[in-house]
Amino acid sequence: MSIHNILLVDDSKTELHALSEMLVKRGFEVRTAENAEEAMKRLAEAKPDLILMDVVMPGQNGFQLTRAITRDERYAGVPIIMCTSKGQETDKVWGMRQGASDYVVKPVKADELMAKIKALG
């Protein structure tokens, strides 16, 4: 499966803008959501090829949302890369345990993210 459509979930408008720009420049189609509720609406509208998920968000956090998405049969095949400032090994392990395919620590390096996306595609 090649990855073209990406759903970006982050409560920071600055991060959404920076990551969106980075991805669009590289030919990806990007849709954004600022919280779990918005993310679920975007998923219902169109299933993405990949989800980039922040962890620290108001309301339902990225770990909880990742678990909900990966356990929903409609989205079970959609890989999720956690994209967060939480860089502890325990956070990474926990993210993977919730169903994430990979984990990137902010500030996101374009080359590292592209390599991870390519590995999934």
Side-chain angles (χ1 to χ4, degrees):
M1 162 185 117
S2 76
I3 292 172
H4 183 69
N5 296 301
I6 298 176
L7 174 60
L8 192 51
V9 185
D10 198 314
D11 61 320
S12 160
K13 287 189 188 313
T14 308
E15 284 292 330
L16 284 176
H17 180 74
L19 284 168
S20 291
E21 208 167 83
M22 177 196 301
L23 293 163
V24 168
K25 273 184 188 163
R26 286 164 176 80
F28 294 99
E29 194 77 33
V30 178
R31 292 174 37 238
T32 62
E34 291 183 29
N35 54 46
E37 197 179 312
E38 213 177 294
M40 293 311 284
K41 277 186 193 149
R42 296 278 174 274
L43 280 171
E45 292 164 8
K47 187 172 160 181
D49 302 321
L50 170 68
I51 300 170
L52 288 180
M53 178 78 70
D54 184 26
V55 172
V56 184
M57 297 186 288
Q60 196 176 25
N61 71 36
F63 290 138
Q64 295 165 320
L65 184 54
T66 296
R67 188 169 53 238
I69 292 168
T70 55
R71 292 190 178 159
D72 186 323
E73 61 190 33
R74 294 171 297 177
Y75 313 119
V78 179
I80 297 176
I81 296 178
M82 306 300 295
C83 197
T84 179
S85 55
K86 294 176 77 63
Q88 298 291 317
E89 190 59 31
T90 50
D91 295 316
K92 186 175 182 174
V93 168
W94 186 244
M96 302 304 265
R97 215 175 263 167
Q98 303 315 302
S101 303
D102 215 327
Y103 200 98
V104 180
V105 178
K106 292 177 185 172
V108 176
K109 293 175 199 73
D111 294 345
E112 181 189 3
L113 182 58
M114 291 310 122
K116 289 178 184 287
I117 291 173
K118 196 173 184 175
L120 292 171

